[in-house]
Amino acid sequence: MTTPLQPAAPPRTSRALSGIQPTGRFHWGNYFGAIRQYIDLQPGGGHQAADEAYYFIADLHALTTVRDPARLRALVHAAAVDLVALGLDPERAVLFVQSDVPEVTELTWLLMTVCPMGLLERCHAYKDKKTRGLPADAGLFTYPVLMAADILAYDATVVPVGEDQVQHIEVCRDLAGTFNHLYGEVFTLPRPRLVEGGAKVPGTDGQKMSKSYENTIEVFEDLAAQKKKIMRITTDSRPMEEPKAPDDDHLYQLYALLAPEADRLRMAELYRRGGFGYGEVKKALVEAAAAFFADARARRAELESDPARIEAILAAGAAKARAKARAVLDRARRACGLDRSAPAVASGKGKP
Ligand code: ADP
Ligand code: TRP
């Protein structure tokens, strides 16, 4: 006997979303740890691509650290130029600035009302500052709630992030779950998507590359300045002849990210054989980096010569993003009883 065919469930739209803070110029860690993944997830970007992609420059988050208005404006513009130059395609992904969608801040409040203090007290951005005895403002404390609103406002299903952000996605899922439990199915629960391999890009001193450690190599810094930084990358003092394990060396790790496969294999062999100087590796890294980002640099120069073009891209992105966020916010407002003109879509279970 054959079982009757079940009607197929309608395929769910996969929607990628992520935000990146404009707190400095992008470095190799940001590119390999985040931006490259955004590009791969754009519709049409290969087998891993999502059906839709929303990416934004998180200027509201950056306000907790960048206190100079002219600098913030410049960093937001530069971030947009860099993202497009690196391959984020505004025809395929919605690129916008976080604060251009005020619906998100209203949604933040709705989520704040269902957010236990303890949940935020456990979040690392705030906890780290507190344990170091540094003053923290309410913006930093409530940062994960704003981030949750960023995600929920667009019905995102997948959020490409680095390991450090996974905790915040869990907070987002928690808040969405609580809200849905109280008021009906309003929000889509997203899942994080970690970069393949999850490897951390090392900085010039071998620690994780990060602005806070001042060990970054920026993607678009002047090539002469970049060369100087590369030539100063720390190395060990073992004799040249000694064979070395390539994967344990941060200089090699950087080279492996940037060099063509055949060159990488040749370099790994050189390490295993020994008898080379780190100076040679650094020179090869300088060249590999210049070649790897050459097209992006050319696109960046072109975009920079036409600032109105980037602003037009951001305005179009904001309009699309706002339309989506408005619909989600209206759904949430109606569900929790803020919209007096419409009957509730779902019967709220109410608070105990
Ligand atoms: P920074 O540590 O320089 O302040 P951010 O925290 O603004 O960088 O990082 C933005 C994004 O880039 C995050 O998704 C983060 O996980 C990723 N990222 C930053 N540095 C690295 C790194 N060294 N290796 C891998 N990913 C990184
Ligand atoms: N907090 C993220 C970071 O510092 C940036 C961010 C803000 C974000 N809102 C987001 C990332 C929403 C993913 C989804 O890297």
Side-chain angles (χ1 to χ4, degrees):
M1 228 180 84
T2 52
T3 22
L5 278 178
Q6 294 294 319
R12 199 162 72 128
T13 305
S14 62
R15 186 174 294 115
L17 170 135
S18 201
I20 193 153
Q21 293 201 40
T23 43
R25 296 301 301 281
F26 296 138
H27 52 70
W28 292 353
N30 299 141
Y31 177 74
F32 290 105
I35 299 168
R36 188 167 65 171
Q37 200 177 197
Y38 302 168
I39 293 159
D40 290 345
L41 280 170
Q42 299 183 125
H47 70 287
Q48 305 196 315
D51 300 321
E52 293 177 20
Y54 283 64
Y55 298 122
F56 64 90
I57 298 160
D59 60 344
L60 292 175
H61 278 104
L63 271 183
T64 64
T65 44
V66 184
R67 311 288 192 179
D68 170 348
R71 184 168 140 77
L72 183 63
R73 274 194 295 271
L75 284 171
V76 168
H77 183 86
V81 172
D82 289 358
L83 290 171
V84 175
L86 287 167
L88 206 147
D89 178 358
E91 298 291 318
R92 293 189 284 149
V94 182
L95 173 64
F96 62 102
V97 177
Q98 183 183 29
S99 67
D100 283 347
V101 187
E103 284 75 9
V104 165
T105 43
E106 187 175 339
L107 188 55
T108 303
W109 177 256
L110 302 192
L111 296 170
M112 207 94 86
T113 64
V114 299
C115 182
M117 295 285 286
L119 194 61
L120 299 182
E121 274 156 7
R122 285 194 294 276
C123 284
H124 58 69
Y126 167 74
K127 218 165 102 181
D128 290 354
K129 272 215 164 173
K130 208 167 160 236
T131 36
R132 283 191 286 152
L134 298 170
D137 51 46
L140 185 76
F141 184 66
T142 55
Y143 160 116
V145 189
L146 176 59
M147 181 160 160
D150 285 330
I151 298 168
L152 300 175
Y154 306 100
D155 280 331
T157 60
V158 50
V159 186
V161 281
E163 187 80 53
D164 55 330
Q165 297 298 318
V166 172
Q167 183 185 46
H168 297 149
I169 315 271
E170 273 155 18
V171 170
C172 173
R173 290 175 59 90
D174 253 35
L175 299 182
T178 308
F179 198 95
N180 285 356
H181 180 70
L182 284 167
Y183 299 119
E185 290 303 307
V186 173
F187 297 122
T188 305
L189 265 60
R191 59 186 167 77
R193 184 177 186 279
L194 287 172
V195 74
E196 265 168 44
K200 290 195 173 96
V201 178
T204 51
D205 56 359
Q207 293 187 80
K208 179 192 174 193
M209 186 178 285
S210 169
K211 281 186 293 286
S212 352
Y213 303 146
E214 294 181 17
N215 63 358
T216 62
I217 299 177
E218 288 158 16
V219 173
F220 290 117
E221 73 190 326
D222 168 73
L223 284 175
Q226 187 169 84
K227 181 174 178 185
K228 271 197 192 154
K229 272 195 195 169
I230 293 174
M231 297 313 285
R232 283 200 304 259
I233 291 179
T234 55
T235 50
D236 61 48
S237 52
R238 282 178 292 173
M240 250 172 93
E241 301 69 41
E242 193 178 309
K244 299 171 182 78
D247 294 324
D248 296 345
D249 180 46
H250 54 278
L251 186 56
Y252 172 82
Q253 289 164 7
L254 290 173
Y255 185 74
L257 288 169
L258 292 153
E261 183 63 3
D263 294 354
R264 183 189 70 74
L265 291 171
R266 219 171 300 134
M267 185 65 81
E269 192 43 39
L270 205 62
Y271 267 71
R272 285 189 205 101
R273 275 208 318 260
F276 68 97
Y278 284 120
E280 283 172 60
V281 189
K282 289 178 178 176
K283 283 210 189 91
L285 178 58
V286 169
E287 279 165 29
F292 188 90
F293 289 114
D295 291 349
R297 276 182 191 272
R299 275 198 299 272
R300 178 164 220 291
E302 208 180 295
L303 287 162
E304 259 187 326
S305 67
D306 185 5
R309 188 162 153 226
I310 279 292
E311 289 308 320
I313 289 172
L314 293 177
K320 282 190 213 155
R322 271 198 92 168
K324 179 71 197 156
R326 186 72 245 169
V328 174
L329 178 63
D330 284 347
R331 215 158 70 204
R333 287 178 55 104
R334 215 173 304 139
C336 66
L338 290 176
D339 180 355
R340 293 186 305 283
S341 69
V345 278
S347 61
K349 294 184 185 73
K351 296 194 181 188

